[in-house]
Amino acid sequence: MAEVLVYVDHVDGAVRKPTLELLTLARRVGDPIAVHLGPGAEEAAKVLGEHGAVKVLAADAPEFGDYLVVPKVDALQAAYEAVSPAAVLVPSSAEGKEIAARLAVRIGSGIITDAVDLEAGDEGPVATQSVFAASFTTKSRVTKGTPVITVKPNSASPEAAPAAGAVEQLAVSFGEQATGTKVVSRTPRESTGRPELTEAAIVVSGGRGVNGAENFPVIEGLADSLGAAVGASRAAVDAGWYPHSSQVGQTGKSVSPQLYIAAGISGAIQHRAGMQTSKTIVAINKDAEAPIFDLVDYGVVGDLFDVVPQLTEEVKTRKG
Ligand SMILES: Cc1cc2nc3c(=O)[nH]c(=O)nc-3n(C[C@H](O)[C@H](O)[C@H](O)COP(=O)(O)OP(=O)(O)OC[C@H]3O[C@@H](n4cnc5c(N)ncnc54)[C@H](O)[C@@H]3O)c2cc1C
C-alpha cells in the first residue's frame, strides 16, 4: 500500500489532537508514516502507533526551536525524499500551512489548504474544502506532483488502529535559509485551562449582546461547564471585552467544533465565515429576526442573561 507522510504537531512529545485526526484520514489513502521533529519522539511514538502510524521518522536539533519554520521544512523535505509518499498531510495551523506551502514549492507539487475531509480517489486523494464563507463545498485533487494537503482541526474523530509506530532516525541537513530568522524571545501565553479555540470540540462565543467585559464570565461559566473554549465576535473584541486571539470569523480564527454556541451574536457573514462548518450550531439571541437563526440547528429566542446561566446550571446538574 502507498505510504502517506503525516506531520506531527506536538508539545515536547505530547501529540496534539489534530495530528491523531490526520492519522485517521491518512489511513483512507495509505499507510501513515509520522514525521516527528523536536524532543519527545519515543513518547509520541506510542500514541502515534496506537492511531495507525506504521513508522515514526524522528529528528531532533536545536534549529527546530531556535529558528522559524525553515528547519522544519528541510526535515519534512528529507522525509519526503526518503519515503516518496503518495501524499503529505499537515495540520492546518498557521505554522502548518507555512510549512506545507514551502514544501510544495520546493518539490514542485500542488497544495490544498484547509481541507475539512479527505477520501481516496482513483487518481489520488480528494480533499473537501468549505469555501466563500462556507457557502460552497468543493472537492479537489492535486494534479501535479505529490499532493500536499493541510487539514483543519476537528475534520475527523481520531480512531485507534494499532500499528508498529517504530521510531527511525531521520537524517536532516539544514540549508542556508534554515537560520535566516531567529527566535529572539518566547513568552508563554497565560493558560486559561480551557482547550485551544481552533481545536476545541465545543466553543461558546459571546458577541455585542454580552454588553461588557464584566459580563463575559457568564459565557465562560457555560464554557467551563462543557469543557469548551471561549470565542467572541469582532464587535466584542474590538470593544476590548475579550482578547483579539479569541475572535472567530473571517479576520479571526476559523473553528469547526462538534458544537458551537453563539450568545448575543447577530450572525454577520464575516462571523459565519469562521464557524459555519461547525457540526451543530446553537444560538441564543433576543431578536427572533437575527440572521444567525438562519443557520442554527437549535435556536433560543431570549435574553442571554436569563438563558445562559440556566443552561450552565442544567449542564452541571446533568453532569452530576
Ligand atoms: C472586513 C471585515 C471583516 C470582519 N471580520 C469579522 C470577524 O472575523 N468576526 C466577526 O465576528 N465579525 C467580523 N466583522 C464584523 C461583522 O460584520 C459584524 O459587525 C460583527 O460580527 C457583529 O458582531 P456581533 O454579532 O457581536 O454584534 P451585533 O451585530 O451588534 O449583534 C449583537 C446581537 O446580540 C443580540 N443581543 C443583544 N443583547 C442581547 C441579550 N441580552 N441577549 C441575547 N441577545 C442579545 C442582538 O439582538 C444582536 O443580534 C468583520 C467586518 C468586516 C467589514
Side-chain angles (χ1 to χ4, degrees):
M1 199 176 183
E3 290 168 326
V4 177
L5 284 187
V6 172
Y7 181 85
V8 177
D9 186 10
H10 68 98
V11 180
D12 296 336
V15 179
R16 302 176 76 158
K17 187 167 149 267
T19 301
L20 306 181
E21 297 165 10
L22 273 194
L23 287 169
T24 300
L25 292 174
R27 284 192 283 110
R28 298 180 185 168
V29 180
D31 288 329
I33 297 186
V35 180
H36 183 284
L37 308 178
E42 290 294 338
E43 186 195 333
K46 290 182 207 136
V47 67
L48 294 169
E50 280 164 18
H51 289 82
V54 295
K55 205 191 285 180
V56 178
L57 294 177
D60 193 8
E63 281 83 350
F64 296 132
D66 291 349
Y67 298 92
L68 295 187
V69 297
V70 182
K72 293 175 181 166
V73 182
D74 287 345
L76 188 55
Q77 186 176 3
Y80 163 82
E81 283 161 6
V83 172
S84 299
V88 181
L89 306 185
V90 182
S92 250
S93 59
E95 181 179 272
K97 281 191 269 192
E98 187 173 350
I99 291 171
R102 285 174 179 264
L103 177 75
V105 169
R106 287 190 188 186
I107 64 177
S109 286
I111 180 171
I112 297 172
T113 56
D114 286 339
V116 294
D117 200 4
L118 193 68
E119 60 203 84
D122 293 341
E123 296 170 83
V126 176
T128 305
Q129 287 165 298
S130 175
V131 299
F132 292 132
S135 48
F136 284 85
T137 298
T138 62
K139 288 188 185 253
S140 37
R141 177 172 66 73
V142 167
T143 56
K144 183 167 182 281
T146 301
V148 179
I149 302 172
T150 76
V151 182
K152 283 172 95 169
N154 289 313
S155 295
S157 303
E159 286 165 15
V167 178
E168 271 182 30
Q169 289 308 312
L170 174 69
V172 184
S173 55
F174 296 112
E176 244 176 52
Q177 291 178 358
T179 54
T181 319
K182 190 168 171 49
V183 176
V184 291
S185 75
R186 276 196 172 81
T187 311
R189 192 182 51 188
E190 253 178 61
S191 171
T192 59
R194 299 190 182 99
E196 162 66 30
L197 182 57
T198 55
E199 294 172 14
I202 305 177
V203 173
V204 183
S205 287
R208 204 193 306 270
V210 176
N211 200 26
E214 67 281 11
N215 298 328
F216 252 87
V218 173
I219 303 296
E220 291 176 333
L222 177 58
D224 291 342
S225 73
L226 292 164
V230 176
S233 73
R234 179 156 153 186
V237 306
D238 280 355
W241 301 343
Y242 223 65
H244 276 280
S245 56
S246 304
Q247 183 183 322
V248 172
Q250 186 184 317
T251 43
K253 293 197 171 139
S254 267
V255 300
S256 197
Q258 297 296 324
L259 172 62
Y260 186 86
I261 303 179
I265 293 179
S266 61
I269 182 80
Q270 297 89 353
H271 187 79
R272 293 159 74 139
M275 45 65 76
Q276 202 160 355
T277 54
S278 305
K279 309 292 178 293
T280 301
I281 299 173
V282 176
I284 301 152
N285 196 305
K286 65 182 183 185
D287 175 9
E289 303 298 320
I292 190 96
F293 286 127
D294 294 343
L295 76 146
V296 298
D297 298 282
Y298 302 96
V300 182
V301 179
D303 189 318
L304 73 91
F305 297 106
D306 290 334
V307 178
V308 175
Q310 288 185 56
L311 192 52
T312 307
E313 279 316 304
E314 188 64 26
V315 172
K316 284 186 187 160
T317 308
R318 293 201 182 202
K319 279 167 96 177

